[in-house]
Amino acid sequence: MPRALCIGILLALLAACGSNNAPPANLDAAFPPESGGTMVDAMSGEPSGLIPMIAGESAASAVASHIFNSLLKYDRNLELEGELAKSWDVSPDQRTITFHLKPDLKWADGQALTSEDVLFTWKLVTDDKTRTPYGADYKLVEKAEAPDALTFKVTYGQPYAPALDSWAGLQVLPKHLLQGQDINNTPFARNPIGSSYYKLDEWKNGERISLVRNDHSVLGPPRIDRLVSRFIPDPASQFLELMADNIDVMNLNPIQYARIVPARPQLNKRIALYKELGNGYTYLGFNLKHAPFDDVRVRRAINYAIDKQELIDGVLLGLGEPIAAPYKPGTRWVNPQLKPYPYDPNKAKQLLKEAGFEDHDGDGILDRDGKPLSFEILTNQNKQREMSAVLIQRRLKEIGIDVKIRVLEWASFLGRYIKTGDFDVVVLGWSLSLDPDQFSIWHSSQNKPGQFNFINYNNPQVDKLLEQGRLELDPDKRMKIYHEFSRLLLEDSPVVYLFEGYGLPAISKRIRGIDNPAPPAGIGWNSEQWYIPTPLRRTEISDR
Amino acid sequence: MMRYLLKRLFWMVPLLVGISLISFLIMHLAPGDITTTEAAFNPKASEESREKLRKLYHLDEPVIKQYGYWLERMVKLDFGNSFASHQRPVFWEKQDEHGNVQKGLIQDALPVTLLINVLSLVLIIVAALPLGVLSALYHNKPADRGITVFVFVGFAVPGFWLALMMMYWLGVAHNWLPISGLHSLGHEKMGWFGQLWDYFRHLAIPVFISALGGLAGISLFVKNGMLDVLHQDYITTARAKGLPENTVVYRHALRNAMLPLITLLGLSIPGLIGGSVIAESLFAIPGMGKLFYDAVLMRDFPVIMGILTIGAALTLVGNLLADVAYAWADPRVRRGVMH
């Protein structure tokens, strides 16, 4: 009996001490914007440090983007605008770019932010001792100078069109704190001082990072006082935390988005779902050095034989788009005339017949010169890619191609197969940068081990366009170049574009001021304008 | 006894070198290294910068030479620094020339893993002893069957599934316990009792899940030990003397039945520093399992080797401790060791 009593008391205690954050009833009421409050989100990984050029992983850039500023940034429609820079001019020979900084910029510690800091950051990122993978863009600068505190000037050897994009990507670091330090191994990485909306408040190893409003923010104050990012590696746990109202923001997967949330009215009352264009696409890539993938008819046949809509419906539950060019849909770089290869198995069979593939021995598998048309699709442990491979396997079987699937651990996949070029077909993804330059992915010179044209794509016309595109700074002329490039790429079909999935953020309804529907830049573009009305704030975490 | 101990300790050295060599070689059998995984598919990252890294970490040299470098450092008890971009020390905190202290990775991850494992081991023993004794006393009766079914269900239920169910039921549906993490957001502002209570609430599900899986082994061990002992002549003697049944069972039988348990506990020492990747990921606990798993995925060789070496050393020490404790507890064994 006493034992039962103990358990009873324990349960009662547990219940009594459980944080009781029942949602307030007026979640749907309108509230005027106001400052204050804490927003909690979940991240699956922990940053290794908060100097973005050193850390490299997405978790680091997500946090660092709240702390540091670049010279330029992308606005809601993905056009460049000034961030630290007030304006910028390009010289007539297109080789020199002059940035004019906004006056009276300050670091979070109150020191002045000047063009010396920008110059210092450029020196860091191009220094051979700096262990950064991002130096290449900035090494093209022949001369960088800071003639006065508000002017920063860079001169390139020849015009370099992706330059502006690269200056939107380089976050400026404070010279007065980092000079003379080893940037690869400095305590600054765990205790950064920046210039943007927030500054670091606390970093609890393995648990969370808290940011607090920076009163010296060069872009003006944000509305929300504190941002807390909890590290929760497992997506199922993240979702439970969202259901329990312990976090405000997370990215959902298609099943959670399309099935689980809509089926729960309680959850629906508290959570708003958003949909934004993703930043990457999934593709099926051929090793163009291996027969029969050196034959464009075979590649096209496989492209026709794959039903992209089926993949989108099956893998993404409809939450994606088919693409015909390697650019973000809706941006100017997408050639509107291009359409994805339609699903047409008959055309596929006909093309394969032209290439010499027929079922001579009657075993249901096409063959040429006695060799069956059979290959292995390699992919890594990624559910969406695995599922895509299975659907593709079935469609190809229907036209007489025998496909096996092999799923590999990431490092083995890269080290053993991609780097050595020892593969036939892969299912992988590319993320998309906002600059249209894709020289490193498609140019024929980029096919050495470890480089990114590992499928060995080689088309002299495409090479030329890629080279031209890098030299052309005029957006309209540049657009024509990349439209033509996309057309050739689609024709050659070195990869089959499978789909581009949407980003699917779920955000508690206590967070207001979110742009819906999402603009091209995604909902996060104005997160400093988001606010939490006082009656909706969490009760258990009052402000310090 | 002393000579025996010294001999055992001496032989641990070549054993450790052998274990570490084999671990090192196997680790290098897996394709790829840190430079394949870090910024692997970032089109802005150049192959040149990766070559630079490979040279810096001696990854371009033969494996056996790399092992030499590692051993050279280990002799000085230097576990090295992680290959990851934060380059934190693998084991314990280090101070650089500017006086900045960097905490070690294992230093950060070990306490929480140790805490969970010790708590769950204590919970296992506290639960397994009465369950095992009851099973033995009511051998083949409904009580015994019920206990056996219970511990085996606990053993067989997939831990991650049960964890998710408990997280949902206790955390979402009833809001009694936190779902993941170690500290609530307002932890710093609580009093010491509040902080302790906060820890307890966060650790309740992880410790329970971890203990449930280990219950079957130990309780059956106790049960079988008790069954053996209860049929011994000296138990009959004790009963014949007219001792109360409780004294017979707990003083005479259980004490003897617990001897083999000492070995088992010794062997579980290395397990105390190992965490479960799945549990730690689910509960968002930054422990040893996640540290090791991430290091393997990243090919962060110094971290992998550091954890493996500590694990190997603890296994050897655990074995030794078990043997010594056994000798201490059982005079028959002690005499065997002396000669």
Side-chain angles (χ1 to χ4, degrees), chain A residues 518-539:
Chain A
I523 56 164
W525 79 279
N526 69 339
S527 58
E528 78 280 0
Q529 299 291 324
W530 295 3
Y531 62 97
I532 310 173
T534 314
L536 304 185
R537 287 182 195 160
R538 293 168 193 283
T539 46

Side-chain angles (χ1 to χ4, degrees), chain A residues 96-284:
Chain A
T96 305
I97 308 173
T98 312
F99 298 94
H100 305 285
L101 268 59
K102 293 175 181 168
D104 298 325
L105 298 176
K106 286 215 163 54
W107 292 106
D109 61 2
Q111 299 276 335
L113 190 166
T114 68
S115 54
E116 280 297 323
D117 293 304
V118 187
L119 184 64
F120 172 75
T121 309
W122 173 79
K123 279 183 184 150
L124 269 184
V125 78
T126 51
D127 190 338
D128 274 335
K129 287 201 278 297
T130 303
R131 231 168 287 148
T132 176
Y134 306 112
D137 273 342
Y138 309 99
K139 283 186 179 159
L140 297 172
V141 174
E142 279 190 346
K143 201 168 84 189
E145 50 201 327
D148 63 62
L150 294 182
T151 313
F152 178 67
K153 205 162 127 190
V154 282
T155 308
Y156 291 81
Q158 53 177 331
Y160 182 56
L164 286 175
D165 173 75
S166 77
W167 291 105
L170 184 68
Q171 291 175 322
V172 178
L173 300 170
K175 181 180 177 182
H176 68 283
L177 293 172
L178 280 167
Q179 197 161 35
Q181 299 234 17
D182 173 13
I183 187 72
N184 303 312
N185 204 348
T186 161
F188 184 86
R190 296 188 61 84
N191 192 15
I193 302 286
S195 53
S196 198
Y197 296 111
Y198 293 94
K199 59 185 179 188
L200 185 71
D201 178 37
E202 182 198 30
W203 183 342
K204 252 190 153 60
N205 279 349
E207 290 192 66
R208 62 173 174 260
I209 283 185
S210 315
L211 304 179
V212 66
R213 166 214 294 268
N214 168 17
D215 292 326
H216 294 291
S217 162
V218 299
L219 302 171
R223 283 185 178 149
I224 295 176
D225 267 349
R226 288 159 61 84
L227 303 180
V228 177
S229 293
R230 291 182 51 191
F231 314 134
I232 307 176
D234 190 88
S237 308
Q238 280 190 14
F239 192 62
L240 288 174
E241 293 280 21
L242 184 77
M243 287 172 82
D245 198 30
N246 293 331
I247 60 175
D248 297 314
V249 186
M250 78 171 275
N251 281 312
L252 300 184
N253 65 34
I255 292 183
Q256 292 164 335
Y257 187 92
R259 300 269 162 81
I260 301 179
V261 177
R264 288 168 192 264
Q266 270 314 100
L267 207 52
N268 251 318
K269 264 188 228 159
R270 282 198 295 104
I271 289 165
L273 298 180
Y274 300 86
K275 193 160 90 174
E276 52 188 21
L277 279 172
N279 296 314
Y281 64 92
T282 302
Y283 65 89
L284 177 98

Side-chain angles (χ1 to χ4, degrees), chain B residues 114 117 121 262-274 310-311 313-322:
Chain B
L114 214 52
N117 286 334
L121 191 65
I262 293 173
T263 318
L264 213 62
L265 290 182
L267 291 180
S268 65
I269 286 179
L272 289 181
I273 69 152
I310 294 175
L314 282 181
T315 307
L316 296 180
V317 171
N319 275 343
L320 182 62
L321 281 182

Side-chain angles (χ1 to χ4, degrees), chain A residues 14-15 17-19 21 40 48 54-55 128 130-134 137 165 184-185 187 202 204-208 228 230-234 236-237 240-241 243-244 246 264 409-412 414-416 419 430 440 449-450 452 454 541-542, chain B residues 31-32 36-37 39-47 49-50 52-54 56-57 85-88 100 102 108 164 167-168 171-172 175-177 179-186 188-189 197 200-201 281-284 286 290 296-297 299:
Chain A
L14 287 178
C17 291
S19 51
N21 37 10
V40 188
S48 58
I54 303 287
D128 274 335
T130 303
R131 231 168 287 148
T132 176
Y134 306 112
D137 273 342
D165 173 75
N184 303 312
N185 204 348
E202 182 198 30
K204 252 190 153 60
N205 279 349
E207 290 192 66
R208 62 173 174 260
V228 177
R230 291 182 51 191
F231 314 134
I232 307 176
D234 190 88
S237 308
L240 288 174
E241 293 280 21
M243 287 172 82
N246 293 331
R264 288 168 192 264
E409 183 253 357
W410 186 234
S412 309
L414 298 181
R416 167 71 185 80
K419 211 168 160 186
W430 275 121
S440 56
F452 298 117
F454 52 83
I541 33 174
S542 50
Chain B
T36 30
T37 55
F41 261 77
N42 189 326
K44 302 224 166 208
S46 65
E47 177 63 9
S49 64
R50 263 177 254 145
K52 227 165 62 189
L53 264 188
R54 218 164 281 145
L56 186 83
Y57 292 142
S85 59
H86 53 67
Q87 293 181 296
R88 286 171 59 189
N100 303 306
Q102 261 194 319
D108 253 351
L164 281 172
M167 285 157 86
Y168 180 74
V172 180
N175 214 341
W176 286 344
L177 287 176
I179 294 165
S180 65
L182 273 179
H183 303 94
S184 301
L185 284 179
E188 289 76 16
K189 280 174 283 172
W197 181 240
F200 172 77
R201 282 161 39 84
S281 299
L282 274 178
F283 295 115
K290 189 86 184 10
V296 169
L297 290 191
R299 305 288 192 264

Side-chain angles (χ1 to χ4, degrees), chain B residues 8-333:
Chain B
R8 285 282 299 261
L9 279 172
F10 173 77
W11 276 107
M12 271 165 72
V13 175
L15 257 176
L16 263 180
V17 173
I19 293 172
S20 68
L21 178 64
I22 292 170
S23 307
F24 203 86
L25 294 179
I26 291 177
M27 178 176 77
H28 276 269
L29 279 183
D33 57 42
I34 185 80
T35 60
T36 30
T37 55
E38 238 188 0
F41 261 77
N42 189 326
K44 302 224 166 208
S46 65
E47 177 63 9
E48 195 190 330
S49 64
R50 263 177 254 145
E51 272 312 319
K52 227 165 62 189
L53 264 188
R54 218 164 281 145
K55 225 183 215 101
L56 186 83
Y57 292 142
H58 304 294
L59 292 170
D60 49 348
E61 293 179 43
V63 177
I64 201 72
K65 236 175 138 178
Q66 293 183 42
Y67 178 72
Y69 292 130
W70 181 82
L71 198 63
E72 202 182 310
R73 273 193 284 107
M74 272 317 290
V75 170
K76 290 176 272 173
L77 283 181
D78 177 6
F79 284 78
N81 288 35
S82 161
F83 281 174
S85 59
H86 53 67
Q87 293 181 296
R88 286 171 59 189
V90 169
F91 186 54
W92 215 255
E93 63 189 27
K94 279 186 195 167
Q95 204 171 21
D96 68 4
E97 59 267 35
H98 303 293
N100 303 306
V101 178
Q102 261 194 319
K103 280 187 99 183
L105 291 166
I106 293 178
Q107 182 187 11
D108 253 351
L110 191 57
V112 59
T113 299
L114 214 52
L115 181 67
I116 291 179
N117 286 334
V118 168
L119 285 179
S120 103
L121 191 65
V122 169
L123 192 63
I124 288 175
I125 291 173
V126 166
L129 279 180
L131 287 178
V133 172
L134 279 179
S135 278
L137 291 180
Y138 299 99
H139 190 46
N140 280 337
K141 302 222 172 74
D144 174 31
R145 300 241 161 86
I147 288 170
T148 308
V149 168
F150 170 73
V151 296
F152 268 101
V153 167
F155 178 72
V157 147
F160 78 92
W161 177 82
L162 190 65
L164 281 172
M165 290 300 119
M166 289 184 73
M167 285 157 86
Y168 180 74
W169 190 64
L170 294 169
V172 180
H174 293 290
N175 214 341
W176 286 344
L177 287 176
I179 294 165
S180 65
L182 273 179
H183 303 94
S184 301
L185 284 179
H187 184 85
E188 289 76 16
K189 280 174 283 172
M190 300 171 178
W192 71 268
F193 181 75
Q195 292 196 348
L196 203 68
W197 181 240
D198 190 45
Y199 263 122
F200 172 77
R201 282 161 39 84
H202 279 90
L203 289 177
I205 307 181
V207 169
F208 177 78
I209 296 283
S210 150
L212 193 64
L215 198 54
I218 308 260
S219 69
L220 286 192
F221 209 82
V222 173
K223 171 185 163 184
N224 287 336
M226 279 298 278
L227 282 178
D228 276 352
V229 173
L230 285 174
H231 291 116
Q232 298 285 336
D233 291 343
Y234 60 84
I235 297 294
T236 318
T237 313
R239 287 211 174 100
K241 282 198 291 187
L243 289 178
E245 185 65 12
N246 270 344
T247 315
V248 175
V249 171
Y250 291 105
R251 184 150 328 143
H252 291 251
L254 184 60
R255 274 199 181 181
N256 284 299
M258 273 175 62
L259 273 181
L261 210 62
I262 293 173
T263 318
L264 213 62
L265 290 182
L267 291 180
S268 65
I269 286 179
L272 289 181
I273 69 152
S276 144
V277 188
I278 298 172
E280 286 177 8
S281 299
L282 274 178
F283 295 115
I285 290 172
M288 295 289 286
K290 189 86 184 10
L291 179 67
F292 186 67
Y293 182 71
D294 287 346
V296 169
L297 290 191
M298 266 186 81
R299 305 288 192 264
D300 191 347
F301 295 152
V303 177
I304 301 176
M305 282 309 291
I307 297 176
L308 286 179
T309 309
I310 294 175
L314 282 181
T315 307
L316 296 180
V317 171
N319 275 343
L320 182 62
L321 281 182
D323 289 352
V324 171
Y326 209 82
W328 167 77
D330 189 338
R332 288 168 300 174
V333 180

